[in-house]
Amino acid sequence: MARATTSAESLEQYFTNRFETKLLSHMPPEDAELTAATRLLEKRRELAQADAEQSVHREQHEQHLDKLQQEKLALKQEEAKLMKSLEDYDTYLKENDIRRRRALKKLREETSACDEKNHEIQVLQERIAELQDHQEQQEQLLAEQEIFEKYLQSVIKETHDFNEIDELIDRHATLKVTNEELLAQEARNKDRMRELQAEGARDRENHKVVMLRLNNTLTNLEAKRDTVSTERLHWENQATLAEGSACKRTLLIGRIKMATANLYALVRARNRRGASQDRIVNPELQLDKIKIYLQDLTDICRMFDEEQQRESVE
């Protein structure tokens, strides 16, 4: 708006200067003879004409300015449209680039997937070829084993226990498993029998050793008993003959009782049933118990040897 006002003032100054110069240059020579009033009227008429022309030119200039303003607005609108078009085109280019990248990525993925599928197809074709070879081998094997199927069918016809070949095969598998279990059990029984035989042999050896030790002990005890009996008779005779030797005899009897008591304690400790009975104090009864224990032990060893002999004969 300020620019339009400045342009109008410059245009008015231009026309004013121009008409003043024109009027001064075209003044007729007879104006000098006219009266002052006539000249004034003439000047006013020229000024009015100049004002009218200036008004016309001003209106034309304002119309031109309005047209220029409208053209400027139109240019700004066109410029805005062009900028919008440029932005849309740039957006289109960006979106097109994104779509192109996506298309390229999808193309690469599809190419890779196609390669993978081709590889899988090749692998599957090889697998199919292998399966076909395996099928041919199985068919050949079935053809070779067809004679066994005919044999099994003939067996089913001869027997009434089975109706199908599968039943016969299942029965054979069951019997095979049972046979293997029985063989394993037999092997375990043989191992256990060998262990028991070895344990019996060790027990026999131990019993023999115990028997020898007990026989030696019994012999020693019998010898000691004979000695004690002899000494007792001797000391009894000596007691009747010499009452003065009572202290020595009493001491000897004490030793004999002590030895008998020790032997009885040993026998009683080895005899479990005797451990629960009352302790015997009489030396003679103690010797009788020792004798009974040795006889029982001898009988047990003899019975064990006879049983082992019977088992060996069986």
Side-chain angles (χ1 to χ4, degrees), residues 62-77:
E62 288 178 356
Q63 291 176 0
H64 183 67
L65 287 175
D66 292 336
K67 186 177 180 181
L68 290 176
Q69 188 69 23
Q70 291 175 1
E71 291 179 354
K72 182 178 181 181
L73 292 174
L75 288 173
K76 286 183 178 180
Q77 291 177 358

Side-chain angles (χ1 to χ4, degrees), residues 241-304:
L241 296 175
E243 294 178 354
S245 61
C247 294
K248 294 182 180 180
R249 186 179 58 188
T250 302
L251 179 62
L252 182 59
I253 291 173
R255 290 179 179 176
I256 293 171
K257 288 181 178 180
M258 186 178 294
T260 304
N262 292 332
L263 291 174
Y264 177 73
L266 180 62
V267 172
R268 190 168 179 270
R270 292 181 177 273
N271 189 1
R272 296 181 179 177
R273 292 180 298 175
S276 61
Q277 298 177 359
D278 295 334
R279 185 179 179 84
I280 299 174
V281 182
N282 190 351
E284 292 181 356
L285 295 177
Q286 290 178 354
L287 290 173
D288 292 336
K289 292 291 183 181
I290 293 170
K291 183 177 180 181
I292 292 170
Y293 173 75
L294 292 176
Q295 288 177 355
D296 292 338
L297 185 62
T298 302
D299 293 337
I300 290 170
C301 293
R302 179 176 54 77
M303 292 173 64
F304 180 77

Side-chain angles (χ1 to χ4, degrees), residues 87-149:
E87 291 177 357
D88 294 339
Y89 185 69
D90 185 62
T91 304
Y92 169 76
L93 290 177
K94 291 180 179 178
E95 292 177 354
N96 191 19
D97 186 63
I98 292 172
R99 287 194 294 270
R100 184 179 62 81
R101 292 179 181 177
R102 289 178 181 175
L104 290 174
K105 182 179 179 181
K106 186 176 182 181
L107 179 61
R108 288 193 296 269
E109 292 177 354
E110 290 179 354
T111 304
S112 178
C114 184
D115 294 337
E116 291 179 358
K117 293 298 181 181
N118 290 330
H119 180 68
E120 291 178 0
I121 290 171
Q122 185 177 1
V123 172
L124 290 175
Q125 288 177 351
E126 293 177 356
R127 180 60 179 169
I128 290 171
E130 292 178 358
L131 291 175
Q132 289 176 352
D133 294 338
H134 183 69
Q135 183 179 3
E136 292 177 357
Q137 293 176 0
Q138 292 295 324
E139 290 176 354
Q140 185 178 1
L141 184 61
L142 287 174
E144 293 176 355
Q145 294 182 356
E146 186 177 1
I147 186 173
F148 298 105
E149 182 179 3

Side-chain angles (χ1 to χ4, degrees), residues 199-232:
E199 185 177 356
R202 290 194 298 271
D203 291 338
R204 286 194 296 272
E205 292 295 331
N206 293 329
H207 281 294
K208 287 180 181 179
V209 172
V210 172
M211 190 65 185
L212 291 174
R213 185 169 62 251
L214 291 176
N215 288 330
N216 293 330
T217 304
L218 180 61
T219 302
N220 293 329
L221 290 175
E222 288 178 351
K224 289 181 179 180
R225 186 185 62 180
D226 295 337
T227 303
V228 170
S229 298
T230 302
E231 290 179 353
R232 185 183 64 182

